Amino acid sequence: MLLAFSVAPSGQPASAANGGPTPDASVHDAVAAAVKIVRESGLPNQTDSMFTTIEGEWDEVFDVVKRATEAVGRYGSRVSLVIKADIRPGFSGELTGKVERLEEAISATD
């Protein structure tokens, strides 16, 4: 399975609501916390400007997404989570394999 997800906090974290520091509009610290969990999982992964993609079995991939989402939750009172999955049993190495096949197809049209 390939699973691409984007997770971001919204609202103020509890500390800001109780007179603590007010967060700025950037979510990079929250996203960094999520990506750190993904990278530490040991699963093949790739992060770009919009999504992080993970490759693995259903349970292990969703465990990582759950933990990443919980980490982001500390940065706001709400969390937005977007998920897109390519479920193709029996295949692995698709994180790079799909892109390699695409590049080959593009080269073949030249």
Side-chain angles (χ1 to χ4, degrees):
M1 154 186 280
L2 287 176
L3 185 139
F5 77 106
S6 174
V7 61
S10 63
Q12 292 185 347
S15 63
N18 295 325
T22 303
D24 64 16
S26 177
V27 297
H28 65 269
D29 289 335
V31 172
V35 172
K36 183 176 180 183
I37 288 169
V38 171
R39 291 182 179 171
E40 290 175 349
S41 75
L43 296 176
N45 66 84
Q46 179 177 313
T47 299
D48 61 38
S49 61
M50 296 290 292
F51 287 92
T52 294
T53 304
I54 310 171
E55 183 170 16
E57 297 299 319
W58 185 278
D59 290 340
E60 61 190 0
V61 167
F62 274 96
D63 174 64
V64 173
V65 171
K66 179 182 179 186
R67 290 187 290 119
T69 302
E70 289 169 346
V72 167
R74 293 191 295 271
Y75 292 84
S77 57
R78 300 175 81 169
V79 176
S80 172
L81 175 64
V82 176
I83 295 175
K84 181 174 182 178
D86 180 4
I87 303 164
R88 194 172 182 194
F91 285 79
S92 63
E94 292 297 281
L95 187 66
T96 56
K98 290 177 81 166
V99 177
E100 289 166 1
R101 290 188 299 275
L102 171 64
E103 293 298 337
E104 288 172 9
I106 292 170
S107 294
T109 62
D110 291 339

